[in-house]
Amino acid sequence: MKIAKIIFILQSILILTSADVFGVVTRTLSSTRRGFFDNGIYDGMMLTEQGSLTLAPLIEQNGAISGKDIWKMYPANNGDMFAAISGMGAELYKRAADDTNFTLFASENKESAFTAVISDNEGNIYTATGPYAKIIKYDSQGNELWRQSLDDTYVWDMKFDDNGNLFVAAGGNNARVLRISADGKIREILKTEEQHAMSLFYDKNNNKLYVGTAGRGLVLCIDLSTNLENPSYNVLYDTAENEVYAITVDNIGNLYFGTATRQPAYLILPSIIDGDKRPDEREKEFRNSLYKADTNGTVQRLFFLNQTLVLALSSDKDNNIYFVTGDTADIYKINGNDGLLSYIGGLKNKILSTFAVSEEGLYFAISKTGEIYKIKHGYPNKGSFTSDTLDMKLLSKFGSLNSMTTIPDGANISVEVRTGNVARVDNTWSEFTTVANDGKVDVPEGRFMQFKVTMETTDTEYTPILNSMDFTYVENNLSPEVLNGGLTTYYRQQNDSSETSKSPQLEENEAMVYWKGSDPNGDKLIYDLEYRLKGEKNYRKLASNLETSYYKFNSYLMPSGIYDFRITASDKYDNPVGQIKTKTLEVFNLKYDNDPPEIFDFNVIGESANRKITFRAEDKLSFIKTVRYSTITGEWKYIIPDDGLLDSMNETFSINIEDAEAGSVTIEVMDTDGNTKYYSFLI
């Protein structure tokens, strides 16, 4: 194998100052970002599970049987291709190895479909019909040699062993596997309580026949070396899913099998789509799965699917595994060297009906339309990936491309970039420009960017790999935002639900000025805080270079009054002198009350048990909240003002003292800001 050259292009970060509107912080648009390769156009390229781009086998149309629903395809050893048709009568079409057109080979007007087809080494063709299962043998010219009716509804699959024995997977009432001789003699070798035997795979290295069932979704292993008339079998795995529809074995003996239901399409690719998130296995909608059983018999579920995993799995000479999803016509590859999953590509708005494998490549058919497509083994000489438009959110200037690549001899990777200021590419966008060898990206400034990766190779056995890519850019530096300023105290936080949620929490005797700041560029912000008493012309500095969007202080250090605050945000830490942006917020008429109410005009009328006390409570900034009193021998009692309602900063009160022994009274007054004071009087 050729030794690949590992090329690291590690460009130094460019500090761009060609236009005053741009900031100094270089940002990175990285291929590790989720969604970086989503919704792009793959043309002969694919995305691996690790997030790398490589060349991918090309998907090319390879003929059609117009208007026919191809149920099964079978590539014969001599290169001929057979296509079994279902619908209004069963038809079997043939295409010679050196031809592109199909011709009718056989038909059964009384049957609905040919459900399976296979050929032997002599060129004889075996077909199965449904819904009343029959096996029909034709010679290479389409002449019927014999037919046999089965006690089953359907035949789903047929495989030969190395000795020319034909094995049939049948079902309807019970899952059965039959052995059919060349002269049409039938022998049942397996019968289970499952509803159908859906899929077969013959392992020639170990002389074993693997069977996938419908019902509980079992994988059975029949040992053909034990007793061909009545071979032993065992349950290899119970998937607890509806049906095992596809089975294959790679060249080193690992078994792969997939389950299939008719559920809405969804596929989980670890680290590509959802960052290794796994669904709860109890969720019934995640029915379909792909499994691997290694040579030690250990079974693991590789992927969850919720789309039909159709109809066959295949492996190539390099132990790569291919599978196709029926409801979305997407093709995937599991690399034989490292087990990584890659997305090869798909056919939008197509539904696959069958899949077949030959030495020439992989063939699959589209349901209802009769289209046939081919994926060649090996890589194409050229492929490309064109990204979706990527939104930088702000006008940006691009600097360089930093990438890590693996490039074999005779291969090449090039990257092109274009920019624009509208989300959809139109004639206002720039033309694609190739990234220079030193990584420099020479394109106009723009909010949106699109890139195109092109790979080429002269040896189709090897592909270049783009392991990662990072675009550096700087944004148009915009001004910060500052809003929602206010002031709170410890008392307010403890007694007002809207204040309680504010962070940080205050300690007793603490107060706090707070605001909200943000920067559209994501720059780090620092703040200057100023204040002035109402009526003053100039602001006074309270704090500078704050990195938090609040400022705490001891509440007793600021006199009570009505204040204005001015908060100025700056992005100077992330931008050079001359490009620094600031934004100022002024918050007016914030009341700060640190003084308790006072008592005036205290007076006592009468004596002994008939005394009456009158007084006035006044606060300069806040309403009176509560007033209560107690004598030295009594309990605290709340009182209301003479007008019956606490609704002002100045209230008058009257108290009747009925305790003849009371020699003093203490009055507690509290305002709505929690300022409290006690006043004691001799009576």
Side-chain angles (χ1 to χ4, degrees), residues 453-623:
V453 179
T454 301
M455 293 185 178
E456 298 177 283
T457 182
T458 57
D459 188 339
T460 57
E461 291 190 13
Y462 301 98
T463 175
I465 302 172
L466 179 59
N467 303 98
S468 65
M469 58 193 311
D470 301 283
F471 291 97
T472 59
Y473 66 98
V474 290
E475 299 170 336
N476 180 9
N477 188 33
L478 300 182
S479 298
E481 290 293 334
V482 191
L483 52 111
N484 296 340
L487 184 150
T488 191
T489 64
Y490 172 78
Y491 177 80
R492 290 183 191 173
Q493 277 197 340
Q494 302 306 307
N495 294 276
D496 187 336
S497 60
S498 65
E499 297 288 341
T500 303
S501 61
K502 288 184 172 60
S503 180
Q505 293 295 298
L506 297 175
E507 301 294 334
E508 195 168 0
N509 294 323
E510 281 189 330
M512 177 175 67
V513 181
Y514 59 88
W515 58 91
K516 288 185 179 180
S518 64
D519 189 272
N521 302 99
D523 292 336
K524 176 183 177 181
L525 295 181
I526 60 169
Y527 305 93
D528 291 338
L529 178 62
E530 300 169 285
Y531 76 102
R532 68 184 178 192
L533 274 168
K534 197 66 179 175
E536 290 185 325
K537 182 178 180 180
N538 298 318
Y539 280 97
R540 309 168 188 267
K541 183 174 73 174
L542 185 58
S544 299
N545 296 326
L546 293 172
E547 296 185 7
T548 59
S549 57
Y550 60 86
Y551 177 70
K552 294 197 299 183
F553 56 92
N554 291 323
S555 57
Y556 49 79
L557 295 179
M558 179 177 282
S560 298
I562 304 297
Y563 286 89
D564 300 332
F565 288 92
R566 184 166 68 185
I567 304 109
T568 301
S570 171
D571 60 6
K572 67 181 182 181
Y573 280 175
D574 285 339
N575 293 280
V577 175
Q579 297 177 29
I580 297 170
K581 301 288 185 180
T582 62
K583 189 67 172 287
T584 297
L585 171 70
E586 289 187 286
V587 186
F588 299 111
N589 300 322
L590 291 180
K591 182 190 70 174
Y592 180 68
D593 188 358
N594 194 35
D595 295 328
E598 296 181 272
I599 289 181
F600 298 96
D601 304 330
F602 183 85
N603 189 34
V604 181
I605 302 173
E607 57 185 30
S608 188
N610 295 313
R611 287 170 292 180
K612 181 179 180 180
I613 297 173
T614 61
F615 63 93
R616 180 171 58 89
E618 181 180 328
D619 195 281
K620 296 178 180 178
L621 294 172
S622 304
F623 282 11

Side-chain angles (χ1 to χ4, degrees), residues 88-121:
M88 301 300 293
E91 295 177 328
L92 182 64
Y93 285 81
K94 175 184 176 181
R95 183 177 71 184
D98 56 353
D99 199 355
T100 58
N101 297 317
F102 283 87
T103 58
L104 184 64
F105 181 81
S107 62
E108 291 289 323
N109 294 330
K110 295 182 180 180
E111 301 292 340
S112 296
F114 281 119
T115 58
V117 58
I118 197 170
S119 68
D120 61 20
N121 292 331

